[in-house]
Amino acid sequence: MRTYLGVTASRGLAVGPVFRLDRAAPTARIAGLPELETARLNAALDLAKQELDELQAQAAPSDRDIFLFQRMLLEDKSLLEDMRGHIAEGSEAADAVEATGLQFAHRLRNVQDEYISQRSADVLDACQRVSAILDGNPRGTPILTEPSILVADSLYPSDIVGMDRNLLLGLATAAGSSQSHAAIIARTMGLPAVIQLGRDVLADCSGSMAALDADNGRLILNPDPQLLNQLEERHRCTVNLVSGDLLLRPCRTADGTRVYIMANCTAPDDIEAAMAMGAEGVGLLRSEYSLLSGTPPTEEQQYQYYKNCLLAAGGRPVTVRTFDIGEEWAPVWLRVPMGPNPALGLRGLRFCLTQPELFRMQLRALLRAAAQASLSVVFPMVGGPEEWDAAMAQVELAKEELRERGEAFRENTPFGCMIEVPSAALTADVLASHGCAFFSIGTNDLVQYTCAADRAEPEMQQYYRQENPAVSALVQAACDAAERAGIPVSVSGLTAANPYLACTHVRQGVRTLSMSSQSFAAVRSQLARLDLRVPAPGPAAPRLPARAEPALAGV
Ligand code: PEP
Ligand code: MG
């Protein structure tokens, strides 16, 4: 038995024989006349494009863009010019393709944007396809003859798509990255995958039986039967009981009530992966993650980021939360005054209101992006109607600025409010009457502020209780206010990802739950057993008065 530790790219457990993918070594290459090499190159490019068309047709809809992108690369003017330039200088065609591919991949790898830099693998994949054709070893899809775990140095999307899915148990690579398209496809297909296991695994794995314990980022060669039993037992208990197929069907409770399962995301690639897992939209985009680079983004950069997020959601609705910056969480280029208790300090909307220029730049980018597809905006950490009104005044100013610039934007973009502070839950009726279009209940903070227990403080965890009846009463108050006002309400805190509490929220009237895609299966499987016609077991949670009484004068 031997264990290799790596990094989880897609969770799950697979047990079976290893199939090691060896790429053919290049044959000896001798350059002919440049005209002849150019003609060989053109023929190989045509064949490679045909292969990519076929792969595109076989791929799941969410993965087709990968092959479309590679096909477009093979038509890229500057790439072709470079290949032909190498040939004109005396290179053999396959050498010219490889040299050009390496140069392009290197350039992409050095781009600051992680998504773009990860696309260097696509450049290499496309160019290797062409050079393999020129070498006379066209890159067929590996043929599996029995269910196997595929182990390779690194994997390209085209290695996976087109394989018999029934025979592919899991993926393990010596190198690789969790942002690569191969990893995205593994998540899309629900295949366990572990990357960065180190090169030794390649020498060791041939002919072995293996357990790919992707939940714990490891590959175990020739595991002993006792360990195998333990792994399988743990996997059965922790992981979803729902098949991938079911994830793509509309989610309903046992009595047929429709519940919308949305994803909490931060960027286009996790949106893409969540959509592939059956998300019906993005319920919460934590936009402050887009500020992580070392410099403040321009309005144009923010606009492009939101557009890419909408594109990744493929037409499904996206709710973007404006920057939830605070003392404990701020990008390096922004000075946020430090107080003694960050959780109770300046953060969320309150901080943004102290930075109107930064806030309006984000609002303008959002209003512009909303003209492209279904985008809503939600404010974090709203304390009550005064803060809401101040935020909406900035929205009006941002619209005015766009009008002056003659810029297109969506006039009636829906603006909503996170219900994370008890004072917001208790004034939810007033918030709705001030024009709030929807509520998103952020139970992570609502628990913190209701229980007076800092969510980041380990010693306070015993007081930080999601099941606290006071929290439940506040959630109910927000749901009731939403119903009276006829506006939607969702839950986007971690309670939505807890199968038991998700059912409680649905009983409270919530019909949209937003969570990370890893929790979809467990939540859906519990909701499928929930029957709203049967009263909840146990005592009912306390309910607050329907409407807050007018404040007592002089108290
Ligand atoms: C919440 O508070 O529940 C929430 C969704 O926001 P965050 O966890 O980002 O504070
Ligand atoms: Mg919050």
Side-chain angles (χ1 to χ4, degrees):
M1 186 163 96
R2 184 137 193 210
T3 301
Y4 288 88
L5 289 178
V7 174
T8 301
S10 172
R11 298 170 69 90
L13 172 72
V15 177
V18 166
F19 180 96
R20 192 179 70 189
L21 178 66
D22 296 317
R23 301 193 194 280
T27 45
R29 295 165 178 165
I30 299 161
L33 287 173
E35 300 77 48
L36 179 70
E37 293 300 324
T38 305
R40 287 180 64 227
L41 171 67
N42 292 343
L45 283 168
D46 285 345
L47 208 58
K49 283 188 275 186
Q50 261 177 39
E51 286 181 8
L52 286 168
D53 287 342
E54 281 161 24
L55 283 165
Q56 202 191 330
Q58 288 169 29
S62 54
D63 299 332
R64 287 192 187 131
D65 285 356
I66 298 169
F67 300 108
L68 188 64
F69 174 72
Q70 291 196 10
R71 195 190 194 287
M72 279 160 56
L73 266 176
L74 297 186
E75 286 177 339
D76 183 271
K77 257 196 180 150
S78 59
L79 189 98
L80 296 179
E81 262 169 30
D82 280 11
M83 288 177 184
R84 288 176 186 137
H86 283 293
I87 290 177
E89 284 165 11
S91 282
E92 188 270 348
D95 283 339
V97 171
E98 278 181 6
T100 308
L102 284 172
Q103 283 158 0
F104 261 66
H106 181 71
R107 256 180 259 157
L108 281 188
R109 225 176 279 127
N110 288 336
V111 173
Q112 286 296 317
D113 181 318
E114 192 172 9
Y115 181 79
I116 295 178
S117 72
Q118 298 288 351
R119 302 290 70 80
S120 61
D122 287 309
V123 177
L124 292 177
D125 191 14
C127 289
Q128 282 178 11
R129 176 173 301 285
V130 181
S131 61
I133 294 170
L134 286 162
D135 284 339
N137 299 317
R139 279 241 308 258
T141 308
I143 310 265
L144 300 179
T145 52
E146 59 177 339
S148 309
I149 296 171
L150 189 65
V151 180
D153 181 24
S154 53
L155 284 167
Y156 298 113
S158 50
D159 293 325
I160 310 167
V161 174
M163 262 192 188
D164 184 345
R165 174 67 187 85
N166 295 318
L167 298 181
L168 193 55
L169 300 175
L171 309 172
T173 59
S177 129
S178 63
Q179 308 271 344
S180 71
H181 272 138
I184 292 172
I185 290 181
R187 292 193 283 269
T188 307
M189 288 178 152
L191 275 176
V194 179
I195 56 170
Q196 296 170 17
L197 289 159
R199 302 194 68 81
D200 288 351
V201 73
L202 296 171
D204 259 12
C205 69
S206 230
S208 302
M209 277 298 292
L212 182 65
D213 178 16
D215 289 340
N216 295 299
R218 56 186 181 163
L219 179 76
I220 306 156
L221 297 180
N222 303 315
D224 62 42
Q226 203 188 344
L227 176 68
L228 260 187
N229 283 343
Q230 278 172 11
L231 285 176
E232 280 169 344
E233 182 54 30
R234 185 148 34 93
H235 186 65
R236 258 197 300 279
C237 296
T238 53
V239 193
N240 55 78
L241 305 159
V242 184
S243 77
D245 212 26
L246 200 61
L247 282 175
L248 301 176
R249 287 194 222 137
C251 171
R252 289 186 191 281
T253 58
D255 58 292
T257 304
R258 181 80 165 86
V259 180
Y260 295 87
I261 302 293
M262 302 259 185
N264 288 354
C265 298
T266 57
D269 49 357
D270 65 26
I271 296 178
E272 227 172 83
M275 297 305 125
M277 294 278 290
E280 297 183 76
V282 176
L284 177 69
L285 184 81
R286 289 179 163 104
S287 67
E288 56 278 5
Y289 279 74
S290 68
L291 301 178
L292 283 176
S293 71
T295 48
T298 61
E299 179 185 319
E300 201 52 36
Q301 285 166 333
Q302 293 188 48
Y303 169 65
Q304 289 302 334
Y305 161 72
Y306 299 126
K307 255 178 62 175
N308 289 340
C309 289
L310 289 167
L311 213 63
R316 297 174 194 84
V318 174
T319 299
V320 182
R321 181 174 75 184
T322 55
F323 304 138
D324 189 358
I325 299 169
E327 295 168 35
E328 62 182 341
W329 198 102
V332 283
W333 45 266
L334 196 60
R335 271 184 60 79
V336 181
M338 286 302 284
N341 185 344
L344 289 176
L346 199 57
R347 62 171 275 203
L349 178 64
R350 293 166 176 178
F351 174 76
C352 281
L353 289 172
T354 69
Q355 308 280 322
E357 299 299 328
L358 175 77
F359 187 37
R360 282 208 309 283
M361 187 194 288
Q362 181 180 31
L363 292 171
R364 287 193 302 269
L366 286 166
L367 287 162
R368 288 171 58 198
Q372 314 281 327
S374 173
L375 183 150
S376 309
V377 182
V378 67
F379 298 130
M381 291 294 298
V382 180
E386 303 76 22
E387 291 160 37
W388 166 267
D389 289 347
M392 290 309 289
Q394 292 296 320
V395 172
E396 285 314 312
L397 280 177
K399 286 183 181 176
E400 202 44 55
E401 286 162 351
L402 289 173
R403 273 185 217 111
E404 272 168 25
R405 273 166 37 187
E407 199 88 61
F409 69 94
R410 184 174 167 206
E411 181 70 57
N412 58 351
T413 303
F415 280 81
C417 183
M418 294 290 294
I419 303 288
E420 300 176 294
V421 187
S423 59
L426 293 169
T427 52
D429 280 314
V430 190
L431 284 165
S433 73
H434 280 225
C436 175
F438 61 93
F439 297 144
S440 173
I441 305 177
T443 44
N444 302 341
D445 279 315
L446 191 60
V447 173
Q448 158 166 272
Y449 297 122
T450 307
C451 300
D454 191 331
R455 63 194 259 195
E457 185 59 64
E459 277 178 11
M460 296 306 289
Q461 292 315 295
Q462 58 175 316
Y463 301 107
Y464 182 96
R465 286 189 37 235
Q466 292 178 329
E467 301 86 352
N468 188 312
V471 175
S472 180
L474 290 167
V475 170
Q476 189 65 64
C479 289
D480 292 347
E483 194 186 349
R484 285 191 287 272
I487 61 174
V489 58
S490 63
V491 175
S492 51
L494 273 172
T495 53
N498 171 320
Y500 167 75
L501 293 174
C503 291
T504 307
H505 290 322
V506 171
R507 283 197 183 278
Q508 290 175 309
V510 174
R511 292 293 175 266
T512 301
L513 297 167
S514 193
M515 65 199 79
S516 94
S517 53
Q518 298 279 355
S519 302
F520 287 175
V523 169
R524 291 183 62 131
S525 104
Q526 196 63 33
L527 287 174
R529 285 183 227 132
L530 171 70
D531 191 335
L532 294 178
R533 293 164 301 192
V534 179
R543 247 191 150 102
L544 299 166
R547 253 171 209 282
E549 296 298 323
L552 294 173
V555 174

